[in-house]
Amino acid sequence: DAVAFLGHVPDQALAGLISAASAFVMPSTGEGFGIVFQEAAALGVPVIAGNVDGSVDALADGAIGQLVDPDDRDALTDAIDAAISGAAPPIDTDALAAFAPPRFATHVDAILASLMTPAPASHQP
């Protein structure tokens, strides 16, 4: 009674559905990055993810949501209970904002600029 499997959901309906959730839980073991974690966190929904894949980066090492061992049922259950009861750690909004388009673009630009700057000539005897 507490879980609904909706199948395909149109993009325009996603924010409303995610916002209505008590928690966003996807404790995967093979996620590449998981932008959906950040989308849920940006909507104020507590996020729970696995701690063994790209989810760690998407959640800024746990600043944006809870990271748990996806094979540890007790840890996963405890994280879900904390999220549903309102006891989940707060979302670090500054960490989340680092992934917002303007800050992310600035960060990427800085990395690209550093790669394009010629290395100083080495002085060999």
Side-chain angles (χ1 to χ4, degrees), residues 60-83:
D61 296 320
I64 298 172
Q66 294 182 79
L67 296 167
V68 299
D69 178 345
D71 294 322
D72 184 340
R73 291 180 87 149
D74 291 335
L76 182 57
T77 301
D78 289 346
I80 293 169
D81 286 344

Side-chain angles (χ1 to χ4, degrees), residues 14-66:
L14 283 176
L17 286 170
I18 292 171
S19 294
S22 300
F24 183 88
V25 183
M26 190 168 77
S28 68
T29 58
E31 185 64 39
F33 181 75
I35 194 77
V36 69
F37 296 124
Q38 294 172 351
E39 292 170 334
L43 292 167
V45 176
V47 175
I48 301 166
N51 65 357
V52 296
D53 58 11
S55 305
V56 175
D57 294 328
L59 292 181
D61 296 320
I64 298 172
Q66 294 182 79

